[in-house]
């Protein structure tokens, strides 16, 4: 029964992202500012079809040097480190040279298990999480952007 629910949920999500562009404030500005200065990629538990549909709408794929999506080089979902291990490999850098930006405890655990430092961007859903082990924690994209400008 749980598998049926997850399948239906995934199908509904796939349909939703085809019709609604989901962009958070300041993301385009952050990507445009960092593009060409640092290597950027996406590490996600999304399937390739969902990632491509969503980012064909946003136009953000052009900013990414690599993508690590579920089922392409990693079979276990976060908090397993597989997605970040694949992302580190694709980045052609060491884990110590990478920084993850996550919004969930599972993502933080996955990044840290792969020895990647992790910055947290809180969301409405994760505002009460402690995020132990995070390099930094920010409450919105604007705070994150100000910090990233200092780094890069």
């Amino acid at each position: 029964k749980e598998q049926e629910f997850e399948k239906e949920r995934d199908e509904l999500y796939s349909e939703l992202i085809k019709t609604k562009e989901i962009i958070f404030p300041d993301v385009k500005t952050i990507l445009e500012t960092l593009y060409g200065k640092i290597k950027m990629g996406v590490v996600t538990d999304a399937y390739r079809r969902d990632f491509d549909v969503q980012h064909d709408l946003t136009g953000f794929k052009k900013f990414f040097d690599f993508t690590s999506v579920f089922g392409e080089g990693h079979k276990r979902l976060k908090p397993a480190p597989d997605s970040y291990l694949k992302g580190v490999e694709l980045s052609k850098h060491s884990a110590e040279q990478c920084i993850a930006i996550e919004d969930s405890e599972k993502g933080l655990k996955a990044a840290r298990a792969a020895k990647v430092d992790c910055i947290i961007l809180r969301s409405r859903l994760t505002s009460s999480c402690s995020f132990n082990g995070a390099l930094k924690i920010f409450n919105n994209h604007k705070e994150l952007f100000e910090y990233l400008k200092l780094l890069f």
Side-chain angles (χ1 to χ4, degrees):
K1 188 164 179 142
E2 186 176 327
Q3 288 176 332
E4 288 176 29
F5 169 77
E6 288 177 352
K7 185 176 186 229
E8 184 177 342
R9 177 203 62 200
D10 291 347
E11 288 171 1
L12 287 169
Y13 177 74
S14 291
E15 288 305 310
L16 173 67
I17 63 173
K18 289 178 187 174
T19 61
K20 183 163 177 60
E21 188 177 296
I22 303 169
I23 299 179
F24 294 98
D26 299 317
V27 171
K28 185 175 184 185
T29 303
I30 292 169
L31 293 172
E32 288 173 338
T33 301
L34 296 178
Y35 182 68
K37 294 180 182 173
I38 61 169
K39 192 175 278 194
M40 293 187 289
V42 175
V43 172
T44 180
D45 283 344
Y47 290 101
R48 169 65 63 190
R49 70 175 187 271
D50 293 338
F51 176 84
D52 286 344
V53 165
Q54 182 59 42
H55 290 291
D56 285 344
L57 286 173
T58 66
F60 290 172
K61 286 196 309 189
K62 66 184 174 200
F63 296 114
F64 305 129
D65 298 294
F66 63 90
T67 56
S68 173
V69 298
F70 184 67
E72 292 180 14
H74 64 93
K75 303 286 185 213
R76 295 185 302 165
L77 298 172
K78 299 171 186 175
D82 304 28
S83 57
Y84 274 102
L85 294 171
K86 185 64 177 177
V88 168
E89 177 189 324
L90 292 170
S91 78
K92 298 184 174 82
H93 290 284
S94 68
E96 294 77 19
Q97 294 173 302
C98 298
I99 297 175
I101 299 173
E102 275 288 349
D103 63 353
S104 71
E105 289 274 358
K106 288 196 302 187
L108 170 63
K109 288 176 183 173
R112 295 303 302 135
K115 307 288 188 242
V116 174
D117 283 333
C118 186
I119 295 171
I120 292 295
L121 181 60
R122 288 189 189 274
S123 72
R124 216 172 6 113
L125 300 174
T126 63
S127 61
S128 64
C129 295
S130 63
F131 294 114
N132 292 326
L135 179 66
K136 293 275 188 184
I137 301 172
F138 297 103
N139 294 309
N140 58 57
H141 289 88
K142 187 173 183 148
E143 290 176 0
L144 171 64
F145 186 38
E146 292 305 316
Y147 178 72
L148 294 173
K149 286 194 297 188
L150 294 174
L151 290 180
F152 307 108

